[in-house]
Amino acid sequence: MGGDFGPRVTVPAAVQALSHFPELKVILIGDRNSITSQLSYLGHQPNARLSIIHTDRVISNTEKPSLALRKSAGSSMGTAIELVADSKADACVSGGNTGALMALSRFRLKLLPGIERPALVSALPTASGRKTWMLDLGANVSSDADSLFQFAVMGSALVEEIIGHAPRVAILNIGAEEIKGNDLVKRCAEMLSQTHEVNFIGYIEGNQLLHDAADVVVCDGFVGNVCLKTCEGTAQLFIDKMKERMMASSIKGWIARKLFSGLFNELKTLNPDQYNGASLLGLRGIVIKSHGSADVEAVVNAIGEAIHEVKRQVPSRISDRLEAVLLERHY
Amino acid sequence: MGGDFGPRVTVPAAVQALSHFPELKVILIGDRNSITSQLSYLGHQPNARLSIIHTDRVISNTEKPSLALRKSAGSSMGTAIELVADSKADACVSGGNTGALMALSRFRLKLLPGIERPALVSALPTASGRKTWMLDLGANVSSDADSLFQFAVMGSALVEEIIGHAPRVAILNIGAEEIKGNDLVKRCAEMLSQTHEVNFIGYIEGNQLLHDAADVVVCDGFVGNVCLKTCEGTAQLFIDKMKERMMASSIKGWIARKLFSGLFNELKTLNPDQYNGASLLGLRGIVIKSHGSADVEAVVNAIGEAIHEVKRQVPSRISDRLEAVLLERHY
């Protein structure tokens, strides 16, 4: 039911994901009428791989997390999280209220041992066509050095599963020199330079974010959220200006479309907004947040991210890594 | 002596600024030999509008601010600030160590009454060709709500002098709704909504930064610095990708250069990096920080910013506005 478009996007995305991923089973949770009418519009109906659980209520986007928590029973989001908690689903994908999703996940799924706060992580595109993962993107509005350190450990464990070797982990800061920054980043840097479990490479600045300077970038949730949205807004501005020119009905526009649609499509992939499926790390279960504005293809991507994390057993990988860090400290 | 290129850039910039601004007088402070050799290379020599003060020492870019402060006497930066403090110069323009410039300015020029921390402010280009001013861009690594409120008052006073009417002032946040954000922004928002001296329009998110959503955007120095550099890095990535295509020696590249150099030049102006001359607000004097990497044209811009602030008596305007805010609170 979540996201700006509800079942009009989530139902076609589920149908498309089922044909993309042969191992997938989907449970659609929400208003049965809306869901079945979308399904029949697409010429589909519930079957062994696609089931529906009806719920009457939806947690709205403006609901405060604390209130959403109290009123979650019987809501589509609450029911989805319950299924994961009861091991009746392997992962939850939601386009709904981020704060509510976080509060519910934390309350019902519980945090992994050694984790004080979950973090929202997502991949950003880079100049060379690779990716940089960034966390926290706003699961928390403030963090201490211990949390930032845990974000680094979690991000490192996640990304190692994806790229196959120890990722370069950096802290986002206002300068690359050791003396730069606030107490938070300085204390986290000190902790990271003392562990062997994370390949810590130091600080990076905002202008290096999309330039492959690190595989994992750690920051507090306020900074991460503002920074990601700034990237998206700047990229969108450039894309819009080019689009304007490409769509012109003049001869120039025609030539631009003929010659530069390849470049234009490449530039579009450099908008972090094109990715979808931010993962809520630190929980004893897999929860993927889809953009509110995501289209069908983007929601399919978010489902793909969930499948990936289930296969790689990301929560266990994180747990193992945390244990190694704790052991390292004791001996 | 400051910036990545020292007198090779600052001296030609001074000469160019003298012909741009007939009312300007320039005092060049630093190594007399380097300065005079640059001047004679340009066919110039000291005259009634261009004088030299020789200093032996330069504060390096890696110097800690506290140490720079102790060793400032006789340095080029220290002497420049002294001249402003002693009313022998109306403004100081420096491309040197930002932390040292701030510490020296604060120590020698003193803060305006009612200001606890100075702030670095600069203009960002926007989609419509207008500007948005943002502060703090990194004069401080952390701030409290009182400081953020003072940034809003200072930014408002500065920008009103430029655009001629009360600017729309917003706080940078992780959401537009009132419930979003950390304690810092919430408390500052409460203070701003209680004053009539600032036209406070609420929160804006990172993706609205370059989209004319506000005339003045207030944030703490860590967030502002990371955010500005993220803008610059993202813009540079798009510009580089286009440039690559435009510079290709193929027929496609030739057509691109013929048809789209206008668009390319427009896009280049959307990189916040193109502006130069960040102002250090909150001092009893005018200090302009020029980018370390600034070229001649950019340093001329920074000198132009200094002239503008001298003419508009920006420190007095800020002082008046602060007094009005204090009066409003008392009655």
Side-chain angles (χ1 to χ4, degrees):
Chain A
M1 302 304 286
D4 301 347
F5 313 103
R8 275 191 297 143
V9 159
T10 50
V11 172
V15 168
Q16 208 164 298
L18 284 168
S19 72
H20 264 55
F21 307 107
E23 69 278 45
L24 174 68
K25 288 182 185 174
V26 172
I27 309 166
L28 293 167
I29 304 166
D31 180 64
R32 185 184 301 271
N33 280 341
S34 313
I35 296 171
T36 46
S37 77
Q38 283 296 327
L39 276 177
S40 57
Y41 177 75
L42 297 164
H44 280 261
Q45 53 186 35
N47 57 42
R49 291 178 62 208
L50 187 152
S51 54
I52 302 173
I53 294 180
H54 174 76
T55 59
D56 285 321
R57 292 193 318 95
V58 171
I59 293 171
S60 81
N61 257 328
T62 52
E63 196 81 88
K64 272 194 175 179
S66 53
L67 208 63
L69 202 55
R70 283 207 297 279
K71 304 198 308 187
S72 66
S75 70
S76 48
M77 189 189 283
T79 306
I81 298 286
E82 287 295 325
L83 287 186
V84 176
D86 298 344
S87 303
K88 290 176 183 158
D90 292 310
C92 159
V93 177
S94 169
N97 180 327
T98 311
L101 185 65
M102 238 207 33
L104 278 171
S105 303
R106 199 171 160 171
F107 181 71
R108 276 297 284 138
L109 299 178
K110 307 292 182 204
L111 294 169
L112 288 168
I115 295 293
E116 283 151 65
R117 288 151 178 265
L120 208 52
V121 62
S122 189
L124 278 71
T126 69
S128 67
R130 284 152 64 183
K131 291 182 189 175
T132 289
W133 281 261
M134 188 171 175
L135 72 167
D136 173 28
L137 295 175
N140 311 281
V141 292
S142 65
S143 309
D144 58 15
D146 284 321
S147 298
L148 226 56
F149 176 80
Q150 291 157 19
F151 297 167
V153 174
M154 294 197 291
S156 185
L158 172 76
V159 175
E160 181 155 355
E161 287 298 318
I162 299 168
I163 65 176
H165 56 85
R168 298 163 300 158
V169 177
I171 299 176
L172 189 62
N173 196 2
I174 59 174
E177 305 89 357
E178 242 178 83
I179 59 157
K180 289 285 178 79
N182 54 22
D183 285 346
L184 178 67
V185 300
K186 283 181 187 168
R187 283 177 47 220
C188 180
E190 205 186 318
M191 291 167 77
L192 282 174
S193 56
Q194 281 162 9
T195 176
H196 293 97
E197 294 295 323
V198 173
N199 176 19
F200 178 56
I201 59 164
Y203 298 132
I204 71 160
E205 297 187 68
N207 51 354
Q208 298 168 284
L209 253 189
L210 304 184
H211 292 80
D212 278 318
D215 302 306
V216 177
V217 176
V218 175
C219 57
D220 89 64
F222 191 95
V223 171
N225 186 286
V226 165
C227 200
L228 176 67
K229 285 181 181 158
T230 299
C231 258
E232 291 175 355
T234 309
Q236 198 55 52
L237 177 61
F238 279 81
I239 290 166
D240 287 348
K241 289 275 177 194
M242 274 201 76
K243 199 172 176 179
E244 215 173 84
R245 211 54 78 98
M246 307 253 309
M247 292 303 138
S249 54
S250 62
I251 182 84
K252 263 194 177 184
W254 184 83
I255 297 173
R257 285 193 295 280
K258 287 284 163 199
L259 288 185
F260 302 111
S261 56
L263 171 64
F264 184 64
N265 289 332
E266 185 194 343
L267 292 180
K268 278 203 292 185
T269 66
L270 289 174
N271 186 348
D273 199 20
Q274 294 300 303
Y275 286 91
N276 191 31
S279 180
L280 207 45
L281 292 185
L283 301 166
R284 298 174 192 253
I286 295 164
V287 179
I288 306 293
K289 171 70 176 76
S290 168
H291 271 304
S293 60
D295 60 11
V296 172
E297 197 188 342
V299 173
V300 174
N301 284 346
I303 296 171
E305 178 63 33
I307 294 172
H308 170 84
E309 295 199 12
V310 171
K311 281 187 177 168
R312 298 291 185 155
Q313 299 183 41
V314 167
S316 303
R317 293 289 81 72
I318 291 175
S319 219
D320 295 349
R321 188 60 60 95
L322 282 165
E323 224 163 85
V325 171
L326 286 176
L327 273 174
E328 187 188 47
R329 284 197 190 162
H330 275 284
Y331 299 103
Chain B
M1 303 304 286
D4 300 347
F5 314 105
R8 275 192 296 140
V9 158
T10 51
V11 172
V15 169
Q16 207 164 298
L18 284 167
S19 72
H20 264 54
F21 307 107
E23 69 277 46
L24 175 68
K25 289 182 184 173
V26 171
I27 309 165
L28 293 167
I29 304 166
D31 181 65
R32 187 184 299 272
N33 281 342
S34 313
I35 296 171
T36 47
S37 78
Q38 283 296 327
L39 276 176
S40 58
Y41 177 74
L42 297 163
H44 280 262
Q45 52 185 33
N47 58 40
R49 291 178 62 207
L50 188 151
S51 54
I52 302 173
I53 294 181
H54 175 75
T55 59
D56 285 320
R57 293 195 317 95
V58 170
I59 294 172
S60 81
N61 256 328
T62 52
E63 196 80 270
K64 271 193 175 183
S66 52
L67 208 63
L69 202 55
R70 284 208 296 279
K71 307 198 305 187
S72 67
S75 70
S76 49
M77 190 190 282
T79 306
I81 298 286
E82 287 294 326
L83 288 186
V84 176
D86 298 343
S87 302
K88 290 176 184 160
D90 292 311
C92 159
V93 177
S94 168
N97 181 327
T98 311
L101 185 65
M102 240 210 29
L104 278 170
S105 304
R106 200 173 159 170
F107 181 71
R108 277 298 285 136
L109 299 178
K110 308 292 182 201
L111 294 170
L112 289 169
I115 294 291
E116 286 151 65
R117 287 151 179 266
L120 208 53
V121 63
S122 190
L124 279 70
T126 69
S128 67
R130 284 150 66 183
K131 290 182 188 175
T132 290
W133 282 261
M134 190 168 171
L135 73 167
D136 172 30
L137 295 175
N140 311 280
V141 292
S142 64
S143 310
D144 58 14
D146 285 322
S147 299
L148 225 57
F149 176 80
Q150 290 157 20
F151 298 168
V153 174
M154 294 197 290
S156 186
L158 171 77
V159 175
E160 181 154 356
E161 286 298 317
I162 299 168
I163 64 174
H165 56 86
R168 298 163 299 157
V169 177
I171 300 176
L172 189 60
N173 196 3
I174 59 171
E177 305 88 356
E178 241 178 84
I179 59 157
K180 289 284 179 77
N182 54 22
D183 284 346
L184 177 68
V185 300
K186 283 181 186 168
R187 282 176 48 218
C188 180
E190 205 186 317
M191 291 166 77
L192 283 173
S193 55
Q194 281 162 9
T195 177
H196 294 97
E197 293 297 322
V198 173
N199 177 18
F200 177 56
I201 59 163
Y203 297 133
I204 71 159
E205 297 186 68
N207 51 352
Q208 299 169 281
L209 253 189
L210 304 184
H211 292 80
D212 278 317
D215 301 306
V216 177
V217 175
V218 176
C219 57
D220 87 66
F222 191 95
V223 171
N225 186 288
V226 165
C227 200
L228 176 67
K229 285 181 180 158
T230 299
C231 257
E232 290 175 357
T234 309
Q236 199 55 51
L237 176 61
F238 278 82
I239 289 165
D240 287 348
K241 288 276 175 190
M242 273 200 77
K243 200 171 176 180
E244 214 173 85
R245 213 54 78 96
M246 308 252 310
M247 292 306 138
S249 56
S250 61
I251 182 83
K252 263 192 178 187
W254 184 83
I255 297 174
R257 285 194 295 280
K258 286 285 162 199
L259 289 185
F260 302 109
S261 55
L263 170 65
F264 184 63
N265 289 333
E266 185 195 342
L267 292 181
K268 278 203 291 187
T269 65
L270 289 174
N271 186 350
D273 200 20
Q274 294 300 301
Y275 287 90
N276 191 30
S279 179
L280 209 44
L281 292 186
L283 301 166
R284 297 173 192 255
I286 295 165
V287 178
I288 307 292
K289 170 71 176 76
S290 168
H291 270 302
S293 61
D295 60 11
V296 172
E297 195 188 344
V299 175
V300 174
N301 285 345
I303 296 171
E305 177 65 31
I307 294 172
H308 170 84
E309 295 199 12
V310 172
K311 283 187 175 169
R312 298 292 185 153
Q313 300 182 39
V314 166
S316 304
R317 293 290 80 72
I318 290 174
S319 222
D320 295 349
R321 187 60 60 97
L322 281 165
E323 223 163 83
V325 171
L326 285 175
L327 274 173
E328 188 188 49
R329 282 196 192 163
H330 275 284
Y331 300 103

